[in-house]
Amino acid sequence: MKIGKATVPRTAICTADEHTIAVRGHDLARDLIGKVSFVEHFFLLLTGQLPSAGQAAVLNATLVAIAEHGLVPSVQAARMTFAAAPDAMQGAVAAGILGCGSVVLGSSETAGRLYAEIDARVQCGAALEAAALEVVQARRAAGQSVPGYGHPVHKERDGRVGALFAVARAAGTDLRFIAIAEAVEALLPQVLNKALKLNVSGAIPAVLLGAGFPVQALKGVPILARTAGLIAHLFEEIQQPIGFALSYQATREMVYDGVLPEGFGAHT
Amino acid sequence: MKIGKATVPRTAICTADEHTIAVRGHDLARDLIGKVSFVEHFFLLLTGQLPSAGQAAVLNATLVAIAEHGLVPSVQAARMTFAAAPDAMQGAVAAGILGCGSVVLGSSETAGRLYAEIDARVQCGAALEAAALEVVQARRAAGQSVPGYGHPVHKERDGRVGALFAVARAAGTDLRFIAIAEAVEALLPQVLNKALKLNVSGAIPAVLLGAGFPVQALKGVPILARTAGLIAHLFEEIQQPIGFALSYQATREMVYDGVLPEGFGAHT
Amino acid sequence: MKIGKATVPRTAICTADEHTIAVRGHDLARDLIGKVSFVEHFFLLLTGQLPSAGQAAVLNATLVAIAEHGLVPSVQAARMTFAAAPDAMQGAVAAGILGCGSVVLGSSETAGRLYAEIDARVQCGAALEAAALEVVQARRAAGQSVPGYGHPVHKERDGRVGALFAVARAAGTDLRFIAIAEAVEALLPQVLNKALKLNVSGAIPAVLLGAGFPVQALKGVPILARTAGLIAHLFEEIQQPIGFALSYQATREMVYDGVLPEGFGAHT
Amino acid sequence: MKIGKATVPRTAICTADEHTIAVRGHDLARDLIGKVSFVEHFFLLLTGQLPSAGQAAVLNATLVAIAEHGLVPSVQAARMTFAAAPDAMQGAVAAGILGCGSVVLGSSETAGRLYAEIDARVQCGAALEAAALEVVQARRAAGQSVPGYGHPVHKERDGRVGALFAVARAAGTDLRFIAIAEAVEALLPQVLNKALKLNVSGAIPAVLLGAGFPVQALKGVPILARTAGLIAHLFEEIQQPIGFALSYQATREMVYDGVLPEGFGAHT
């Protein structure tokens, strides 16, 4: 069945013949293996260009920052899945990745879109504070939250934010999205009546967009980073299984607030 | 419901308080972001130890080697899924990862287990060739294939194999699993009557086991590597969609060999 | 870590003790197994009430209507995944379900929301045609398409639409959402300048909402239905594998429009 | 890339032209919608034949029996995933299905294979008890457990077992796999020194194989059944969210048994 404009499939990422795997214009075996790091390779796959040292430093820092945060819901989902289906590590990783959604890790991408929208106005001549205020107010008027600010545990600015900004400054990449992110942070007390601080999901696009990382691929950063964390947790699960223990603990205080059938609990 | 020995969940990977995220004994914001690469961080998460430069070089090389091979089935599955559900990049990545199974990418792990089994005999005093022959013959006797050898396109030794071995030699990591992998390759003509050459799924454990990478986590390497490739393909899919075109092409010559209901095709 | 208002987990669907599994107030073994059909059970699980014969007939009809449409993209994704990972049928089913997204099968839900919005206006006294026009025009003004109309293959009204409407009429369930769906169909030539006909994704909510099926659960209908189709395809894949053949065909005419490395194709 | 014997894709399940969707020899709109139940349709999709009333009754009963068991790990994984990614119900269902693995729900299939193996010997003339003993002992000798017996909560024979057997008897389907399942149950005290009772995962194949359900598709039964339960839980999650509460409870007593960085907890 033809859905959409059915055409010949095209790709510019990779092709191969019997002798050579060509990746973005490079011979994989000759030019890339042993010559570039995995993160440089990821940047190449995505953009078609090898990153500068500064771009690679920023991308590495964001992936390190977001890879792991303990037994968060997606890790629990993955470990429970692995306990039930230990033959399929790929299934447990997939279950964990499926929790990289709009609520938990997706705000890196939505914050990045917000910053890009403010930047577009600034590039057209608007003043930074005015552009930030307009875009944030339009978002609020549409009933949307402001992504990238506030954290259930870290009430102050999360330490990862400052660390990422320091990496960007040392790397010499463009800092204008950091300025945008901080301009938004500065106006939140006025707009939301709450002094929410930049969190790691705001800091990631703030440094990555300045490093030439494409805004539409931002969601890939938490996905790739968390995949590393998930694999570590599944390896720990093999050695020290807690998947079923987590599930047991989760429901110890569970309340059934539905109807009970006649005779339930009457066996003695 | 209690399944298995329900206990208190334990983990040694990460904990946090309001100020600090502790990862494997390091303060994430202070000691890791900007200080270690993503691949070093992955090794740390997994093993609890930061890798040496040589270990990191080998792990980087294997992730680069296996990240991308064009429009393979798992990439097609991911691009088709993304075309149908463009709001959920995490779902499309998950669909692609689910194809990292026993047939296609899982042989890195099974080859690693084979090499580890041979190594265990060698460590107990067996000669390498004899140990390799015994283990391979036992596998054949149990009706199992020998993982890590042969490729549908690359009939010679895949160029990635030599590149990975060169990285391991330059890195100064333990080369004994390369010797094991080559000993198996040398005896295949005799055992299988086919001169199957080492492929990339054989070379990956051959270098990684020598770099101290745990055998039970080997499957994580193709999973993490392919996640990077999948994200690049999904970013390309946003810009140049081919998901439905792939699906259309796939069935252009499709044959329906079932029964047809009366009157099918009679409308004119 | 506490995300959101962490409280005691509550559920009203099912609880159990050593002797009895209680499902929505019924004793599963005594009252449900052998007494109700799977589709009645699904309605019970979802709503807390067993359906009337008419409600069950309508729900059955929609599940039958949407379960299978040949080698569509989600089926291809599932069969490719199963070919690569034959040990994990659950992974292949999951890969297929992940393609039940906003573009392909999600329009049952979005069409249902559209009909519910029109219905809310009619319940408040608006005339049907006026309410339909206002809601559809508001949608168009917001740049959104009208879900539930048009099909790449079936240019006339899909035969499944009439069949579903006939079931609803025979079942005696509320027909007012059918009237709404047809009112929208009647005004599309005027609003879109295209006479798009009701498709199966429009007909499903048109009959289900009248049968008391909750609008927020509508997306579950294509998901459950397609799961049945996917399992049938995976069973066929075991007996007559085509997963890799589909992938091969999909790229036979593939064009690589990226850069090639020096020397590519020079081996002879 | 060609993997395996690349050929023309074939299927016998469904094809369509502009006017008709043909499913297993039937016109979907004319012959199936409103004429067959969803479960009859599932049997048809899978086997190519519509089931008898008895076959449909047995299949319905097994799907009802296994659809729901409260906040089990796979339901928790799905609800946590939905809380994090509420825009993608398909992703949360997929996460739940990924937990239908070898440990938790896969034993329906493995028990079915065990019964089929015993049946093959009986068909060749062996006595039932002798055949059962041989097959079970061979399994034990290979270090494998006996699937379909024992349950962490239900120490007696789970009530669902008797209910399913009663359905099969009333349905008039072949009862010989029930006899096999009970023969295995009778010999377990002798073989395992434990009087493990038949559980629902043993009873399902015991009745389904006698109803002509194919052994290789057995894993599809818990997958389809649980999909219904998962959708009900996700609908409840929309109305009464507990995904994050489950995750919070799961780690309330969590112990971090790794290393802490210098200065951790020193902020005051």
Side-chain angles (χ1 to χ4, degrees):
Chain A
M1 181 168 48
K2 196 173 143 184
I3 307 176
K5 282 184 274 180
T7 55
V8 168
R10 314 177 84 81
T11 184
I13 299 175
C14 177
T15 192
D17 66 11
E18 198 183 325
H19 302 282
T20 307
I21 301 170
V23 175
R24 293 290 197 187
H26 302 265
D27 179 328
L28 175 59
R30 185 190 67 198
D31 307 331
L32 297 172
I33 296 173
K35 311 286 172 30
V36 303
S37 73
F38 176 53
V39 166
E40 290 170 312
H41 193 61
F42 174 47
F43 194 99
L44 172 67
L45 287 169
L46 202 61
T47 67
Q49 304 295 327
L50 282 167
S52 68
Q55 290 173 311
V58 168
L59 181 52
N60 268 296
T62 58
L63 290 163
V64 169
I66 201 76
E68 174 62 26
H69 203 300
L71 295 172
V72 293
S74 58
V75 167
Q76 293 185 30
R79 292 186 78 146
M80 288 180 194
T81 303
F82 200 43
D87 305 327
M89 185 189 275
Q90 74 275 14
V93 173
I97 286 174
L98 287 167
C100 294
S102 53
V103 171
V104 169
L105 286 164
S107 38
S108 281
E109 185 199 7
T110 40
R113 291 185 188 278
L114 182 80
Y115 301 159
E117 196 181 336
I118 295 169
D119 184 56
R121 294 181 182 226
V122 172
Q123 300 302 318
C124 294
L128 173 54
E129 284 72 20
L133 188 63
E134 274 174 35
V135 170
V136 168
Q137 281 179 331
R139 215 180 146 81
R140 295 295 299 165
Q144 296 174 300
S145 64
V146 182
Y149 298 85
H151 192 279
V153 173
H154 310 286
K155 297 295 175 198
E156 301 168 41
R157 232 199 214 185
D158 181 335
R160 293 174 289 179
V161 174
L164 286 173
F165 287 0
V167 170
R169 284 189 196 102
T173 51
D174 191 330
L175 304 177
R176 73 180 195 270
F177 294 95
I178 295 181
I180 291 171
E182 295 191 322
V184 172
E185 188 183 42
L187 59 79
L188 288 185
Q190 162 193 355
V191 177
L192 303 180
N193 287 318
K194 277 188 287 187
L196 296 180
K197 297 300 180 188
L198 257 169
N199 63 30
V200 72
S201 292
I204 285 173
V207 299
L208 277 179
L209 293 177
F213 196 90
V215 67
Q216 291 173 305
L218 278 172
K219 200 169 178 184
V221 170
I223 291 175
L224 181 61
R226 284 294 159 106
T227 302
L230 287 165
I231 292 164
H233 276 282
L234 298 176
F235 177 55
E236 189 181 63
E237 182 71 22
I238 292 172
Q239 301 168 288
Q240 177 178 292
I242 62 167
F244 290 137
L246 286 166
S247 167
Y248 168 72
Q249 294 281 343
T251 53
R252 275 180 62 192
E253 304 198 15
M254 191 266 275
V255 172
Y256 177 70
D257 58 8
V259 183
L260 284 172
E262 203 179 331
F264 188 88
H267 291 261
T268 46
Chain B
M1 181 167 50
K2 198 172 143 183
I3 308 176
K5 282 185 272 179
T7 56
V8 169
R10 311 178 85 80
T11 184
I13 299 176
C14 177
T15 193
D17 65 11
E18 199 183 325
H19 301 282
T20 308
I21 301 169
V23 175
R24 292 293 196 185
H26 302 265
D27 179 327
L28 174 60
R30 184 188 67 198
D31 306 332
L32 296 172
I33 295 174
K35 310 287 169 36
V36 304
S37 73
F38 177 54
V39 166
E40 290 170 313
H41 194 61
F42 174 49
F43 195 99
L44 173 67
L45 287 170
L46 203 61
T47 67
Q49 303 296 327
L50 282 167
S52 69
Q55 289 173 311
V58 168
L59 181 51
N60 268 295
T62 59
L63 289 164
V64 168
I66 201 77
E68 174 61 28
H69 204 301
L71 295 171
V72 293
S74 59
V75 167
Q76 293 185 31
R79 293 187 76 147
M80 288 180 195
T81 302
F82 200 43
D87 305 326
M89 186 189 274
Q90 74 275 15
V93 173
I97 286 174
L98 288 167
C100 293
S102 54
V103 171
V104 169
L105 286 165
S107 39
S108 280
E109 186 198 6
T110 40
R113 292 185 187 279
L114 182 79
Y115 301 158
E117 196 181 338
I118 295 168
D119 184 57
R121 294 182 182 224
V122 172
Q123 300 301 318
C124 294
L128 173 55
E129 283 71 20
L133 188 63
E134 275 175 36
V135 171
V136 169
Q137 281 179 332
R139 217 181 144 80
R140 296 296 299 164
Q144 297 175 298
S145 64
V146 182
Y149 298 84
H151 192 278
V153 172
H154 310 284
K155 296 297 175 196
E156 303 167 39
R157 231 201 215 186
D158 182 335
R160 293 174 290 179
V161 174
L164 286 172
F165 288 0
V167 170
R169 285 187 196 103
T173 51
D174 192 331
L175 303 177
R176 75 181 195 268
F177 294 94
I178 296 181
I180 290 171
E182 295 190 323
V184 171
E185 187 182 43
L187 60 79
L188 288 185
Q190 160 193 356
V191 176
L192 303 180
N193 286 320
K194 277 188 287 190
L196 295 182
K197 296 300 179 188
L198 255 169
N199 63 30
V200 71
S201 292
I204 285 173
V207 299
L208 278 179
L209 294 177
F213 196 90
V215 67
Q216 290 173 304
L218 278 172
K219 199 169 179 184
V221 169
I223 290 175
L224 180 61
R226 283 294 159 107
T227 301
L230 287 165
I231 292 164
H233 276 281
L234 296 177
F235 177 55
E236 189 180 65
E237 181 70 20
I238 292 172
Q239 303 168 286
Q240 180 177 290
I242 62 167
F244 290 137
L246 286 165
S247 169
Y248 168 73
Q249 294 280 341
T251 53
R252 275 180 61 193
E253 305 197 16
M254 190 266 276
V255 172
Y256 178 71
D257 59 7
V259 182
L260 283 172
E262 203 180 330
F264 188 87
H267 290 260
T268 46
Chain C
M1 184 167 48
K2 198 172 143 185
I3 307 176
K5 281 184 274 180
T7 56
V8 168
R10 310 179 85 81
T11 184
I13 299 175
C14 177
T15 192
D17 66 10
E18 199 182 327
H19 302 281
T20 307
I21 300 169
V23 175
R24 293 289 197 187
H26 302 266
D27 179 327
L28 175 59
R30 183 189 69 197
D31 307 331
L32 296 173
I33 296 173
K35 311 285 171 33
V36 303
S37 73
F38 176 53
V39 165
E40 291 170 312
H41 193 62
F42 174 47
F43 194 99
L44 173 67
L45 287 169
L46 203 60
T47 68
Q49 303 295 327
L50 281 166
S52 69
Q55 290 174 310
V58 168
L59 181 52
N60 268 294
T62 58
L63 289 163
V64 169
I66 200 76
E68 174 62 26
H69 203 301
L71 294 171
V72 294
S74 58
V75 168
Q76 293 185 30
R79 294 186 76 147
M80 288 180 193
T81 303
F82 200 43
D87 305 327
M89 185 188 276
Q90 74 275 16
V93 173
I97 285 175
L98 288 168
C100 294
S102 53
V103 171
V104 169
L105 286 164
S107 38
S108 281
E109 185 199 7
T110 41
R113 292 185 188 278
L114 182 79
Y115 301 158
E117 195 181 337
I118 294 169
D119 185 56
R121 293 180 183 228
V122 172
Q123 300 301 317
C124 294
L128 174 54
E129 284 72 20
L133 188 62
E134 274 174 37
V135 170
V136 169
Q137 281 179 329
R139 218 183 143 79
R140 294 296 297 165
Q144 296 175 299
S145 65
V146 182
Y149 298 84
H151 192 278
V153 172
H154 309 287
K155 297 295 176 197
E156 301 168 43
R157 231 200 214 187
D158 181 335
R160 293 174 289 179
V161 174
L164 286 172
F165 288 179
V167 169
R169 284 188 196 103
T173 51
D174 192 330
L175 304 176
R176 74 179 196 270
F177 293 95
I178 296 181
I180 290 170
E182 295 191 322
V184 172
E185 188 183 42
L187 60 79
L188 288 185
Q190 163 193 354
V191 177
L192 302 180
N193 287 317
K194 277 188 286 188
L196 296 181
K197 297 300 180 190
L198 257 169
N199 62 31
V200 73
S201 293
I204 285 172
V207 300
L208 277 179
L209 293 178
F213 196 90
V215 67
Q216 290 173 305
L218 278 172
K219 199 168 179 184
V221 170
I223 291 175
L224 181 61
R226 283 295 159 104
T227 301
L230 287 165
I231 293 163
H233 276 282
L234 297 176
F235 177 55
E236 189 180 64
E237 181 72 20
I238 292 171
Q239 301 168 288
Q240 178 178 292
I242 61 167
F244 290 137
L246 286 166
S247 168
Y248 168 73
Q249 294 281 341
T251 52
R252 275 180 62 193
E253 305 198 15
M254 190 268 276
V255 172
Y256 178 71
D257 57 8
V259 182
L260 284 172
E262 204 179 330
F264 188 87
H267 291 261
T268 47
Chain D
M1 181 168 51
K2 197 170 143 184
I3 308 175
K5 280 186 271 179
T7 56
V8 168
R10 312 178 85 82
T11 184
I13 299 175
C14 177
T15 191
D17 66 10
E18 199 183 326
H19 302 280
T20 307
I21 301 170
V23 174
R24 292 291 197 186
H26 303 266
D27 179 327
L28 174 60
R30 184 187 67 198
D31 306 332
L32 297 173
I33 295 174
K35 311 287 171 33
V36 304
S37 73
F38 177 54
V39 165
E40 291 170 313
H41 193 61
F42 174 47
F43 195 99
L44 172 67
L45 287 169
L46 203 60
T47 67
Q49 303 295 326
L50 281 166
S52 68
Q55 290 174 310
V58 169
L59 181 51
N60 268 295
T62 58
L63 289 164
V64 169
I66 201 77
E68 175 61 26
H69 205 299
L71 295 172
V72 293
S74 59
V75 167
Q76 293 186 29
R79 292 187 77 147
M80 288 180 194
T81 303
F82 200 43
D87 305 326
M89 186 188 274
Q90 74 276 12
V93 173
I97 287 174
L98 288 167
C100 293
S102 53
V103 170
V104 169
L105 286 164
S107 39
S108 280
E109 185 198 7
T110 41
R113 292 185 188 279
L114 181 80
Y115 301 158
E117 195 180 337
I118 294 168
D119 184 57
R121 294 182 183 224
V122 172
Q123 299 302 319
C124 294
L128 174 53
E129 284 72 20
L133 188 62
E134 275 174 35
V135 170
V136 169
Q137 281 179 329
R139 215 181 146 81
R140 295 296 298 165
Q144 297 175 297
S145 64
V146 183
Y149 298 85
H151 191 278
V153 173
H154 311 284
K155 297 294 174 197
E156 302 168 40
R157 232 200 214 186
D158 182 336
R160 293 174 289 179
V161 174
L164 286 172
F165 289 0
V167 170
R169 285 187 196 103
T173 52
D174 191 330
L175 303 177
R176 75 181 194 269
F177 294 94
I178 295 180
I180 291 170
E182 295 190 322
V184 172
E185 188 183 41
L187 61 78
L188 288 185
Q190 161 192 356
V191 177
L192 303 181
N193 286 319
K194 277 188 288 189
L196 296 182
K197 296 300 179 189
L198 255 169
N199 62 31
V200 72
S201 293
I204 285 173
V207 299
L208 278 179
L209 293 177
F213 196 90
V215 67
Q216 290 173 305
L218 278 171
K219 198 168 179 185
V221 170
I223 290 175
L224 181 61
R226 284 293 159 107
T227 302
L230 287 166
I231 292 164
H233 276 281
L234 297 177
F235 177 55
E236 189 180 63
E237 181 72 20
I238 292 172
Q239 302 168 287
Q240 180 177 291
I242 61 167
F244 291 137
L246 287 165
S247 167
Y248 168 73
Q249 294 281 342
T251 52
R252 274 179 63 192
E253 305 198 15
M254 190 266 275
V255 172
Y256 178 71
D257 58 7
V259 182
L260 283 173
E262 203 181 329
F264 187 87
H267 290 258
T268 48

